[in-house]
Amino acid sequence: MSIKLPEIYTQQSIPSAVADSFEQITTAVHIERMGNGLINSTWKIAGADGSYILQKVNDQVFRDPFIIEHNLKKIAEHIRLHYPAYALPLPLKNREGKELLYVAGNGYFRMFHFLEDSVCNTVVNNSKQAFEAARQFAGFARRLNALDTKELGNPIEDFHNLTLRYQHFETAVTTAQPSRLMAAKELINFLQEHSGIVTQFQNMVKSGSMLLRPMHHDTKISNVLFDQQDRGLAVIDLDTVMPGYFISDLGDMIRTFTCTANEEETDFNKVTIREDFFEAIINGYLSEMKDILTASERNLLVYAGEFMIYMQCLRFATDYLENDRYYGAKYPDHNLNRALNQKKLLEELIQAKPVLEKIIEAVFQRIK
Ligand code: GN1
Ligand code: MG
């Protein structure tokens, strides 16, 4: 059966096979594109009796989206059993009873309920939001902590494996076009000079001073839903939940919440660290995770930020050297600029380290 689509669907570039398969789309009254993710695409589908979120999973990045489906099942079972009141965003079934629809040559699609009156922020506007989001991601991690990581698959192999990310970068340095290599010379030197961050990661993994736990791995502000009073409601986008280290989640919040500008900013003077936002993240995160983190993990709160900013800098730099094949580019030096933005952020964090360590000490004094 093929349903003739009103123009709004095609304008919003939803493939007709997808529209046919979800009744929420065929009965929609309004459809709009949402979000600013680099990898997946999202639409808001408004119907007569409620709204929905349609998401396309990029199958170049998530090579086997059925691993996501498997993980969601395991997570849902665990949460239902131990925290039945906890709000978990799970995909809805389509007309064929499937939660994940594959459209050859296009990717994988899922539909979710849109939580009415919820607010999705793309920037952190105040420290309360930073606190609430950190508390939400930490509350999510705490509830999943007892789920055996062996139960979960890796939707993206070695996603936050800094050792392999660094090797990938060094390979890209040897294969890049001379013009790109030249333009990125200072950046490459910086990354090589700071490779101690990679060594520290390797030592901690080897010595077992960080534990593998189910982690979210995409703790940006738009993955937390808020109410109208800036209170956190729920964590969304569970595609990258997989075994990992807490520094991934805490670190990406430090990377994306404390900075005065986002990674697209090309005026690097605007890239600075907000210490009060850092404090809010630490407070929010520890309010849920303090008793779960081991003593050695508690010493890694600033390192978490270094780890994630360095890795993002490395990833953008690598992509620039590989002609933008992963992130794409809207203008010629886009990924170079993104990497330089992250370089500035890492410099700021390293400079602020003594102050940030003091903040952490004071928080621990207060909550112990
Ligand atoms: C990608 O798609 P988005 O923007 O949520 C990337 C993250 C990066 C981020 C940088 C699967 O996330 O790891 O931190 O870009 N996700 C994937 O903006 O690679
Ligand atoms: Mg994501």
Side-chain angles (χ1 to χ4, degrees):
M1 179 184 69
S2 183
I3 294 164
K4 177 148 183 1
L5 295 169
E7 224 174 301
I8 49 167
Y9 309 144
T10 39
Q11 272 170 11
Q12 298 294 343
S13 65
I14 297 177
S16 57
V18 180
D20 281 355
S21 150
F22 288 97
E23 65 168 298
Q24 294 90 344
I25 302 179
T26 40
T27 58
V29 293
H30 182 74
I31 296 183
E32 63 189 271
R33 284 294 288 259
M34 271 184 83
N36 56 359
L38 298 179
I39 303 300
N40 293 333
S41 320
T42 311
W43 296 263
K44 184 174 175 191
I45 317 276
D49 54 359
S51 298
Y52 301 87
I53 295 293
L54 174 72
Q55 201 181 37
K56 174 180 159 179
V57 182
N58 181 328
D59 59 345
Q60 291 302 305
V61 173
F62 294 92
R63 297 275 173 181
D64 181 0
F66 289 97
I67 297 178
I68 300 178
E69 218 183 12
H70 165 87
N71 285 354
L72 286 184
K73 216 176 118 221
K74 292 289 172 189
I75 294 165
E77 278 168 14
H78 179 83
I79 293 286
R80 263 190 217 119
L81 188 64
H82 300 285
Y83 307 95
Y86 186 72
L88 207 55
L90 294 172
L92 305 169
K93 290 189 170 35
N94 69 0
R95 286 204 161 98
E96 292 88 48
K98 293 205 182 96
E99 288 156 0
L100 190 60
L101 170 76
Y102 177 58
V103 180
N106 224 306
Y108 294 81
F109 294 80
R110 285 106 32 98
M111 185 73 75
F112 297 90
H113 269 299
F114 175 82
L115 210 55
E116 290 305 330
D117 296 328
S118 67
V119 179
C120 177
N121 297 301
T122 50
V123 287
V124 188
N125 301 303
N126 53 57
S127 60
K128 178 172 182 197
Q129 288 177 353
F131 172 86
E132 286 288 319
R135 198 165 67 90
Q136 283 293 322
F137 285 119
F140 179 75
R142 176 176 65 75
R143 289 176 178 89
L144 287 184
N145 193 49
L147 173 62
D148 189 348
T149 52
K150 291 191 195 70
E151 299 274 330
L152 298 175
N154 290 315
I156 305 174
E157 232 25 89
D158 292 310
F159 188 36
H160 283 187
N161 182 340
L162 189 57
T163 304
L164 289 188
R165 295 276 180 198
Y166 191 76
Q167 284 168 8
H168 187 171
F169 159 75
E170 286 289 14
T171 307
V173 170
T174 64
T175 56
Q177 287 171 10
S179 61
R180 291 207 175 208
L181 210 49
M182 188 89 90
K185 197 163 174 278
E186 236 182 88
L187 172 65
I188 294 169
N189 285 340
F190 173 85
L191 285 165
Q192 289 170 336
E193 278 161 18
H194 288 80
S195 64
I197 296 174
V198 186
T199 319
Q200 197 178 342
F201 171 75
Q202 290 164 341
N203 291 340
M204 288 180 316
V205 170
K206 229 190 282 163
S207 68
S209 54
M210 290 188 299
L211 298 182
L212 266 185
R213 317 168 187 282
M215 283 290 139
H216 186 282
H217 288 105
D218 193 9
T219 55
K220 56 184 182 188
I221 193 71
S222 56
N223 281 338
V224 172
L225 296 181
F226 288 88
D227 70 10
Q228 312 281 342
Q229 282 76 44
D230 276 347
R231 278 183 303 239
L233 292 175
V235 164
I236 58 170
D237 189 1
L238 309 186
D239 296 344
T240 49
V241 177
M242 64 183 123
Y245 300 106
F246 89 98
I247 55 172
S248 285
D249 283 12
L250 178 64
D252 222 19
M253 288 190 266
I254 296 173
R255 181 179 84 82
T256 58
F257 299 180
T258 63
C259 188
T260 37
N262 69 21
E263 62 201 20
E264 299 296 326
E265 181 60 62
T266 53
D267 177 356
F268 305 136
N269 289 322
K270 292 191 182 147
V271 178
T272 57
I273 298 267
R274 297 179 286 202
E275 288 158 12
D276 50 335
F277 281 49
F278 178 85
E279 181 171 2
I281 296 169
I282 298 297
N283 271 321
Y285 199 76
L286 292 180
S287 72
E288 293 275 358
M289 283 294 280
K290 146 175 96 80
D291 296 330
I292 286 179
L293 297 182
T294 64
S296 45
E297 285 174 325
R298 287 176 181 197
N299 288 324
L300 298 175
L301 305 189
V302 177
Y303 176 77
E306 285 178 71
F307 169 80
M308 281 306 292
I309 300 168
Y310 181 82
M311 181 155 64
Q312 197 57 57
C313 185
L314 203 58
R315 291 177 68 188
F316 284 142
T318 304
D319 205 37
Y320 177 70
L321 297 173
E322 294 188 334
N323 305 322
D324 316 307
R325 69 175 189 198
Y326 187 82
Y327 285 114
K330 297 210 170 89
Y331 61 92
D333 283 344
H334 199 164
N335 281 310
L336 176 62
N337 280 336
R338 286 166 166 160
L340 291 171
N341 168 306
Q342 297 293 292
K343 169 178 177 281
K344 173 71 183 342
L345 185 59
L346 183 54
E347 287 164 344
E348 290 286 317
L349 185 86
I350 291 171
Q351 207 193 329
K353 221 167 151 174
V355 181
L356 303 182
E357 294 290 7
K358 283 237 160 58
I359 291 175
I360 291 169
E361 224 183 280
V363 173
F364 274 123
Q365 282 297 326
R366 200 163 35 70
I367 61 178
K368 76 168 176 228

